[in-house]
Amino acid sequence: MEIPFFPTLFSTVRSLVVRQPFFPTLEDWLVNHPKILGFSWNNGQTPASSQRFLALTVLCYISFTFILSQVSRPSLARPILKSISALHNLFLVTLSFIMALGCLVSIFSQVPNFRTLVCFPKRTSPSGPLFFWGYIFYLSKIVEFMDTLLIILGNSMKRLSFLHVYHHSMVVIMSYVCVNSAQSSFSMVLVTNCTVHVVMYAYYLMCTLGVRPKWKKMVTDFQLVQFWSSFLIMAMLAFYHFTGSGCSGILSWCFNAAFIVSLLFLFSDFHAKNYSPKVKNA
Ligand SMILES: CC(C)(COP(=O)(O)OP(=O)(O)OC[C@H]1O[C@@H](n2cnc3c(N)ncnc32)[C@H](O)[C@@H]1OP(=O)(O)O)[C@@H](O)C(=O)NCCC(=O)NCCSC(=O)CC(=O)O
């Protein structure tokens, strides 16, 4: 049994993209580099891959956030804070773009068809280019902890919301679980999330540079579309899982599904509080 439309769309786009003159160069850099091609996630051996590291990292993040938000903090001169913030945002715009591109090129280069993109065969091992980008994605979620420090150092305590801390701590666990369990479809989630983050960190970068973009609401809308699109991916994954011989990492998808539902509620609430006509007129 096959899903209509998407497999044809995938193979059409793929045959168009791989024929472009720039594709082999991108493939050389982002897929065929020996470090990327030969990547293998070995729990406990690959740097930052042990469960103990994960637990300690998340625990430290939550503890430091709590402690720093309670104590009196040294005040950084505003220009210094703005410069650190600008560099951080510029770094994440660039990294998110490279991760999205790297994963997309790996998909077109390595994934034979749409079914495999959505549903990795059972007992897939987390190695090769797709998982290399998954690993970088996981590490980038630790770099994103810096967002929280910027909020605290900038004394914007109103912005240190439950949504923010919950999102930042859970997303590290989610990306760890994705790579560790060779979770099906994670590459689609990675490309979507990194694309959203290019826009989001560009928004923050502009704010840091003193320009308040008029398209703040569009960023939140884009985030909500990303969460809704995860349900479409999940539906296709469930279809392939139950009509075929099963997909890799299906249990971790259940964990991710619960996380995405919670984010959908929190972001819908953020949207209502920030952009409803009542708020605008207040
Ligand atoms: C439009 C949003 C992206 C951001 O909403 P905010 O309310 O945070 O936006 P804002 O207008 O107050 O942001 C401007 C302020 O952020 C400061 N700022 C600059 N860089 C920052 C950074 N890297 N992290 C946090 N704050 C930063 C600016 O200096 C400015 O401060 P000042 O006002 O003092 O000049 C929204 O959709 C959203 O995500 N809200 C949830 C809050 C959140 O924490 N989001 C980020 C992670 S969630 C995520 O990442 C979801 C996903 O995966 O897609």
Side-chain angles (χ1 to χ4, degrees):
M1 287 245 278
E2 194 42 284
I3 291 171
F5 178 65
F6 289 101
T8 321
L9 179 69
F10 176 74
S11 44
T12 312
V13 174
R14 177 208 174 107
S15 63
L16 263 177
V17 172
V18 298
R19 264 189 271 139
Q20 300 305 313
F22 57 79
F23 190 79
T25 312
L26 286 179
E27 208 178 19
D28 280 350
W29 287 354
L30 303 171
V31 182
N32 293 334
H33 187 286
K35 283 248 183 302
I36 299 178
L37 206 56
F39 173 80
S40 180
W41 166 276
N42 293 313
N43 197 317
Q45 284 174 21
T46 308
S49 68
S50 69
Q51 278 162 17
R52 191 204 299 216
F53 175 88
L54 177 71
L56 275 176
T57 303
V58 174
L59 218 64
C60 284
Y61 168 71
I62 295 174
S63 318
F64 277 117
T65 302
F66 179 73
I67 294 167
L68 286 175
S69 63
Q70 300 300 313
V71 297
S72 61
R73 295 163 295 277
S75 59
L76 268 185
R78 206 145 172 84
I80 297 180
L81 190 62
K82 291 265 170 204
S83 309
I84 299 173
S85 184
L87 279 177
H88 170 71
N89 291 322
L90 188 62
F91 177 74
L92 280 171
V93 168
T94 314
L95 183 64
S96 303
F97 177 76
I98 294 173
M99 288 190 291
L101 188 66
C103 194
L104 206 56
V105 176
S106 303
I107 289 172
F108 289 135
S109 165
Q110 305 271 308
V111 180
N113 50 42
F114 185 72
R115 176 184 277 265
T116 314
L117 177 66
V118 176
C119 168
F120 293 150
K122 276 192 162 172
R123 284 178 284 283
T124 293
S125 78
S127 55
L130 283 182
F131 289 96
F132 170 83
W133 292 111
Y135 176 56
I136 302 295
F137 181 71
Y138 158 60
L139 296 180
S140 77
K141 296 299 164 195
I142 300 174
V143 176
E144 288 180 14
F145 286 170
M146 184 72 186
D147 295 347
T148 313
L149 192 62
L150 289 174
I151 291 177
I152 294 174
L153 290 177
N155 266 319
S156 320
M157 300 318 275
K158 252 193 353 203
R159 296 183 53 242
L160 192 65
S161 57
F162 172 75
L163 184 164
H164 178 88
V165 180
Y166 170 74
H167 170 273
H168 276 56
S169 36
M170 287 298 288
V171 85
V172 181
I173 303 174
M174 192 197 91
S175 34
Y176 175 93
V177 169
C178 278
V179 182
N180 196 46
S181 65
Q183 189 188 289
S184 292
S185 314
F186 89 87
S187 49
M188 296 164 93
V189 174
L190 189 158
V191 173
T192 318
N193 188 252
C194 288
T195 309
V196 170
H197 276 206
V198 170
V199 179
M200 188 184 90
Y201 283 107
Y203 168 80
Y204 278 139
L205 178 63
M206 289 176 75
C207 288
T208 309
L209 299 176
V211 184
R212 291 260 162 197
K214 294 216 168 31
W215 36 271
K216 176 175 177 180
K217 178 172 173 289
M218 197 203 81
V219 185
T220 314
D221 289 338
F222 199 14
Q223 288 168 316
L224 285 167
V225 169
Q226 133 184 254
F227 302 137
W228 282 112
S229 70
S230 305
F231 293 116
L232 177 65
I233 298 172
M234 267 183 252
M236 294 192 286
L237 176 59
F239 176 85
Y240 283 135
H241 182 72
F242 291 112
T243 59
S245 52
C247 307
S248 170
I250 206 78
L251 269 180
S252 70
W253 247 112
C254 299
F255 167 69
N256 281 349
F259 177 54
I260 291 165
V261 168
S262 67
L263 284 186
L264 197 55
F265 273 107
L266 289 168
F267 272 85
S268 301
D269 181 57
F270 177 92
H271 196 286
K273 284 188 177 139
N274 283 269
Y275 311 116
S276 71
K278 267 192 208 157
V279 175
K280 277 192 172 166
N281 296 334

